[in-house]
Amino acid sequence: MAESLENTLRRELGEIEVIRVSDFAKAPNEIATKLPDIVVLDIFDEQIEQPAKDAVKPAWDTVWAAHFCPVVFHSAQEDQDYKSINHPFVRYEIKGAGSQGRVANHIKSFAPEIEGLRTVRQELSRSAGETLRDVGPLIWQSGNPTTEQTDLFLRVARRRMAAALDYTAEPEKQTQAWEQYIYPPIGSDLLTGDLIRVTTESETGPTAYHVVLSPSCDLARGPGRNPLLQILVADCVPIQDFLVAANVLPANVDSTKPLTSGQRKNLLSQLSKDQIAGLTVMPELPNVLPLMAANLKKLSLLPYCDIAPKKDENKRFFRVASVDSPFRERLAWAYLQVAGRPGVPDVDRNALADSIAQPIPPMTKV
């Protein structure tokens, strides 16, 4: 069956490399070392003592945790656990008449994603190689012990690779607003700018969300750390609140109608500002975050222990996404503009304006 499937794939997909493994036990190592673009997995092995469907589990775990790529399960029997995996890059095909051709079609449907994933991995590999080439001589001439040199190189390589991915090779393509988000968030500690949501509320309602304003350094947990017990957050509000504050829409109007050309022109001007009347726009992340605004004047304190790093029905809040740098710093700066402005008494601005408006004598040239 495997040989027949390989012949079908070569016929349907053209020039490809096929790594055929007939032993379930060897599959995880082959996946981890060969790093395939796509994996086709059988599920059952009737020759093992444990439940037959457990045969594929180590290979599937390796794909999911170590080298994720599109997967097609191709099995003679149905298994609901694997068939019900709800992921856009996982397919399930029962063996039978025409099934091998359908497996090939599944692979064809993944072609754009496979190419994109391969490009990212090539960029990472090239960046690591450039770091070794350009920075290696400096590190290995420092006289540090080998373990310190290796650690230093890994740190430099990670920093450079992160910067390389942020650097766009096509500067004519503008950054999209939703690119400021990191989803899912990285790590288990909260960061400034993190979006958290009330676990029991709808993901489409802006008022279910809060934006973390506490400094990241005060949120780190671990040995020797003393993180905050109460987290300062800004409450989120409907985007209409921002439009009213920015004078794009008058209050109490039908905001379901499209903006006029004049209103849109005004909006474009206002979006360049860090905040307006304490409101800053939080763009939509499709199927994750709604379009909304953070109200930097509407603040709350939430117990850190009530916020889960990922969705947890036993906790009141969970962390949905992070805001990446430099947007994170911009958000902090916007909050400082609101919270750090000095309070001064009311000044007679009319008298000051009259004074300034008086005829000003020409400056004497020396």
Side-chain angles (χ1 to χ4, degrees), residues 113-127:
E113 290 76 22
I114 291 173
E115 187 61 33
L117 196 57
R118 183 185 298 166
T119 299
V120 171
R121 286 174 174 151
Q122 288 173 346
E123 289 179 1
L124 289 172
S125 178
R126 183 175 62 252
S127 179

Side-chain angles (χ1 to χ4, degrees), residues 174-195:
Q174 287 186 306
T175 301
Q176 297 298 306
W178 53 263
E179 290 185 69
Q180 67 182 269
Y181 294 123
I182 299 175
Y183 176 81
I186 299 172
S188 58
D189 293 338
L190 292 175
L191 299 169
T192 303
D194 278 0
L195 277 296

